[in-house]
Amino acid sequence: MSVSAQSRHDESSETDQKRVDEQVARVIQRAIDRNIPGLADLPLTETELGVGPTPKELVYTRDTARLYHYLPQVDEVYRVPVLIVMSPVARGYILDLAKGQSFIEYLLNNGHDVYMIDWAAPQQKHKDLDLAAYVEDMLGDCVEHVVADSGVPDLTMIGYCMGGMLSICYNALHPKSPVK
């Protein structure tokens, strides 16, 4: 290759590299411009978010399952408790966002005794949990705890999203369970 040809090739390579660098810079700037101001300062916990305001108590835990009992809001409560089974990938506070915008609050104000299974994020120690562990072990234990805690032999089950699938699996496997 002649010196002149080599020089043109080097200039072409440099020009191509400059174009690539400029394109990368534009993409990065566009991503920065799309950023919502204050995004890094978003709250991370339920308390910081101010959601889940309805009073509740943790009554049972196993692996990733957390069984909560919401405190009654009215004097007269229906005998049969309601067990809400959340999706393992959703947080329970989505049904209790704020006072006046809460399915949990609605149920309580209408006299229902409400329990909820919320799921913690699985950790490395939970790597062996399978569908049977969620349905038979954790959900099954929670049903038993609701019956024992409420003192009532029956319960109503509501499944939210994937929690609905877990509920269906449990009820299909246990047709004589306390779920009515």
Side-chain angles (χ1 to χ4, degrees):
M1 182 182 284
S2 72
V3 173
S4 173
Q6 180 65 37
S7 176
R8 281 192 307 266
H9 177 70
D10 290 345
E11 288 174 11
S12 175
S13 294
E14 286 179 29
T15 304
D16 289 345
Q17 185 59 48
K18 283 182 182 178
R19 275 193 228 126
V20 169
D21 291 346
E22 289 170 358
Q23 180 65 27
V24 168
R26 281 194 300 274
V27 168
I28 291 171
Q29 187 59 49
R30 193 172 9 172
I32 290 170
D33 291 344
R34 288 181 182 163
N35 189 12
I36 299 169
L39 190 60
D41 299 327
L42 285 178
L44 301 175
T45 65
E46 287 181 38
T47 304
E48 291 172 333
L49 285 169
V51 294
T54 308
K56 65 184 181 232
E57 59 185 6
L58 181 65
V59 294
Y60 176 73
T61 64
R62 178 176 179 176
D63 296 320
T64 62
R66 307 288 178 265
L67 178 63
Y68 292 97
H69 181 221
Y70 288 86
L71 303 179
Q73 303 294 310
V74 294
D75 293 332
E76 194 172 323
V77 177
Y78 289 120
R79 180 182 70 82
V80 178
V82 174
L83 173 61
I84 299 173
V85 182
M86 290 301 299
S87 169
V89 296
R91 300 286 56 94
Y93 63 74
I94 63 174
L95 298 180
D96 190 27
L97 287 175
K99 192 163 182 57
Q101 297 176 333
S102 167
F103 179 62
I104 301 298
E105 178 186 43
Y106 172 82
L107 290 173
L108 291 169
N109 287 340
N110 283 281
H112 294 281
D113 187 15
V114 180
Y115 291 80
M116 178 189 288
I117 302 173
D118 201 4
W119 308 94
Q123 300 172 0
Q124 181 63 27
K125 65 183 177 182
H126 302 119
K127 68 180 180 184
D128 294 325
L129 293 179
D130 57 8
L131 186 58
Y134 279 85
V135 173
E136 292 288 336
D137 301 335
M138 291 182 275
L139 180 52
D141 281 1
C142 288
V143 167
E144 290 175 14
H145 274 80
V146 169
V147 169
D149 190 61
S150 69
V152 178
D154 301 330
L155 66 90
T156 299
M157 187 180 287
I158 300 172
Y160 178 83
C161 195
M162 182 63 182
M165 294 301 296
L166 297 174
S167 300
I168 289 170
C169 290
Y170 175 81
N171 286 297
L173 293 169
H174 302 281
K176 295 183 190 261
S177 77
V179 179
K180 301 299 174 210

